[in-house]
Amino acid sequence: MTAKRDHDLTGRWSGIFNYPEQLPPNSFEATLRDSGGVISGVTVERDDDPYGNGGFLHAIVEGRREGSSVSFTKIYDEMEPDAVVILYSGTIDPEGNEIHGRWERIDMWSGTFLMVRNPGAEQELDAEVGETLAND
């Protein structure tokens, strides 16, 4: 019998999400903070909407981790008042450095995603937080 392992997901992550049909995948960067299984953070990705401005989209992430499962919502902050909400659910690999799963924009689109933790990012993020607190 294998024990369920809890992995702190705090750190910087690089990822890719796949669209349905013939559309090409898009990459993203995420900075996550995991506080006892409560996930918060931000993402940035290329705006690949042909009618968009061609820049970058930023979103806020909130969710939960339980054992090897993670679920979170991603809410784009530039699209208010019609905020776009994307639901993610995935599985954390045994080492805690990859998350793969599915995303869904309710009643519209869905696809798969993969996130990989950037090596050493947790220590860098902790150092940045420490520097910020020391300067306040």
Side-chain angles (χ1 to χ4, degrees), residues 4-94:
K4 268 184 151 181
R5 294 182 62 182
D6 286 337
H7 290 287
D8 186 327
L9 301 179
T10 298
R12 288 193 168 83
W13 296 75
S14 296
I16 189 166
F17 58 90
N18 298 296
Y19 288 107
E21 303 171 15
Q22 300 295 325
L23 299 173
N26 197 357
S27 61
F28 65 93
E29 297 293 321
T31 302
L32 300 181
R33 175 68 65 195
D34 183 334
S35 180
V38 176
I39 306 295
S40 60
V42 293
T43 65
V44 63
E45 66 196 60
R46 189 174 24 85
D47 183 356
D48 59 355
D49 183 343
Y51 304 107
N53 63 11
F56 291 90
L57 298 174
H58 298 87
I60 295 171
V61 172
E62 295 179 342
R64 190 135 198 83
R65 170 190 49 81
E66 292 184 30
S68 63
S69 297
V70 63
S71 61
F72 57 88
T73 58
K74 179 169 78 171
I75 303 169
Y76 292 99
D77 56 3
E78 289 95 356
M79 299 185 177
E80 296 207 29
D82 299 322
V84 175
V85 177
I86 312 293
L87 306 174
Y88 283 77
S89 62
T91 302
I92 306 163
D93 79 326

Side-chain angles (χ1 to χ4, degrees), residues 94-116:
E95 289 77 36
N97 294 317
E98 282 189 15
I99 304 170
H100 68 276
R102 296 199 57 79
W103 63 268
E104 176 184 14
R105 181 171 173 186
I106 298 175
D107 296 331
M108 188 171 185
W109 298 56
S110 66
T112 60
F113 76 94
L114 172 67
M115 298 171 62
V116 178

